[in-house]
Structures are given as structure tokens and as C-alpha cells.
Amino acid sequence: MALDNSRNANLLTNTAIQTIVAANFSQISAENNMKMSYYNETTFANAEAEQMISWANQNNIGVHGHALVWHPDYQLPSWARTPDANFRARFEAHVRGVARKHRGQLESWDVVNEALSDGGEPYRDSVFYRQYNGIDYIANAFRWAREEDPDVDLYYNDYNTEANGAKTQALVTLISELLSSGVPIDGVGFQMHVLPDWPSITDIRASWRAIMDLDPNLKIKLTELDVRTNNAYSDPPRVEQSCDSSCLQQQKQRYKSIIAAYLTDVPAARRGGITVWGVADNHSWYSDYEENGLQMVDWPLLWNSDLQTKPAYDGVWEALQGL
Ligand code: XIL
């Protein structure tokens, strides 16, 4: 599961969350505090990340690093927001420095997050893309991460790659190019921020399959799973004011079918695991958000705001039990 350092979900201070995490999960991701801007730019110190990792160690919980390279301005260090001639040197120093800092502490890293674009161009026009005149930064980041931490699993991670359309094709092309260039990549993360009815389970399975078919050792990881109630893109849009029992049941079935498909399709040795993007609904990044011009509230997680398990929790449990 993923933990935020805001919205009162802070693992370091919220004992109710600590109890839930220790009882239910075997791995955690930092929802924010291991992104680029949270590291000291020269020493790579990061007190919150270090505390989170030591809490996980004490509780026998693994840690997935998220993310060595990610583009949004507000979570970039200053040298990347206003790049100068030293950009490439700083970029390499960051990837190496952070990977070295956590050497031996993590099970896996999202090395590069969201390098694909949503539109017609295959690649996102990020600061990294511009400064490298293309996608060499991706292969470089994987190579540097491997040199600094030889045993950690290295993932490429992205969103909306589960719909088996143009973005999935772009993902397949990128991963196959990395593999054929000998880049050290262990797996692909599918974020899985899904809508109630999109993508279809058939498309989700086909997307995982397309990646699995590239290499028999490549792992599939569901890195940021959450299931929204609303659909800002349907016609008419679905914007709920609350999630009643039929809505909760629909969400349960959606969680259950995704996890059952993962267990059926991905052999155990190739499972990077399933991460839900937060604990309780009021901690979710979708608790209050805007999408497609609509302001919405949502309830996408497994615990409600009173920290009681929801039907969605039972759906996950049933799928894990093969029920
Ligand atoms: C989101 C967090 O959930 C928010 O709290 C934060 O404000 C922005 O980032 N894809 C990712 C995650 O890889 O890092 C994002 O997390 C959600 C989308």
C-alpha cells in the first residue's frame, strides 16, 4: 500500500494507520516523500523516507521506491525546474545518489515514471526528454540504478497503459527497445488508477500479456491501484455525492476481478505485487479532485474514513483466497 505524508495518513505519526498497515500489508510505497524534490540536492538526505524505511524494517515490511525519475514541476528539485548547462550531471548525480543512499534497503524501484505521453506522440515532452534530446535518459537511469544497487528490482511505471490502446503499444515498444539494448529492467508497473467500467478487464489482461510476452523474466506489478466511483468521461458523466451499498458492491466486484485476473494471468515468480494507493478514503488523492473540468469527491480505497473495512476489502480478500 502507499502512504502519504499529508491528509493525516502519515505513517510516522498516525498509530491507527500503522496498525492497519502492519496487519494487512507486506510492502509499502511512499505516496510522495521519495520523489525527487524530497531529497537534499547534494547529500541526498531525506529524513521522512529514512524514518519510513526503518519503520518498515522494524515491522518486517518491504519497501518499493517511488520514484527515481518523475517529471511534475512541483515535485522536482530546483536544478530540474530551471535547468542549466549542468542538468545532465545533476540528473546522473540524483539517480546515482538516491539509489546509492537506499542500496540494500528496498525490494524495488520505479526507476522512471510516466515517460509516455497521453496524446499522439509516444514520449512525454518532460524536462528530461528535452535536456537529453530524446529518451536516452531512460536507459541511463536504469543503468545507473543497477550500478548503485545491484539487487533491487528495477521497474518502468506508467498510467493508462492498461487500456490496450495506443499508449499500451507505446509501452510495449519502449520496453522491447530497452530489453534489446540490454538495459537492466526487471519489470513493468501498471499504476491501475481505474474507473468503475474502464478499462475493461479484457483490455487490462491483454496489456499485461503484451508485456509478459516480451521476456519470460519480466515482472508485472500493480503499483497504484484504486477504484473510483465517478466517471468524469462517461456520457453523461457519473458524479456521485455518496457511495451507497450498490455502489460499494460494484466497487468490490471491480477490485475482486482485477486481483483474480492478476493471480490467474501472472505466474507467481513474475508477480511484483499489488499496491493500493492509500489506506482510507479520506486519505486518497481522489478524496477531493478535479477531472475533465468536474470537481468531485470519491471513495476509491479499501477502508472508509472511519477506518472500517469496506466491501472492497472483502473483494480483495476473496480474490486472494481464490473465492
Ligand atoms: C500523487 C499523490 O497521490 C498525491 O498526493 C500528490 O499530490 C501527487 O502525486 N501517478 C504517480 C503518483 O505515479 O506518484 C501520483 O501520486 C499519482 C499518479
Side-chain angles (χ1 to χ4, degrees), residues 160-168 190 198-200 202-204 206-207:
N160 286 359
T161 48
E162 311 90 8
N164 205 30
K167 198 167 178 185
T168 305
F190 290 83
W198 184 90
S200 72
T202 308
D203 282 334
I204 292 172
S207 304

Side-chain angles (χ1 to χ4, degrees), residues 131-144:
Q131 292 293 319
Y132 274 83
N133 298 316
I135 60 165
D136 280 356
Y137 77 91
I138 301 176
N140 285 343
F142 277 88
R143 292 199 170 101
W144 296 328

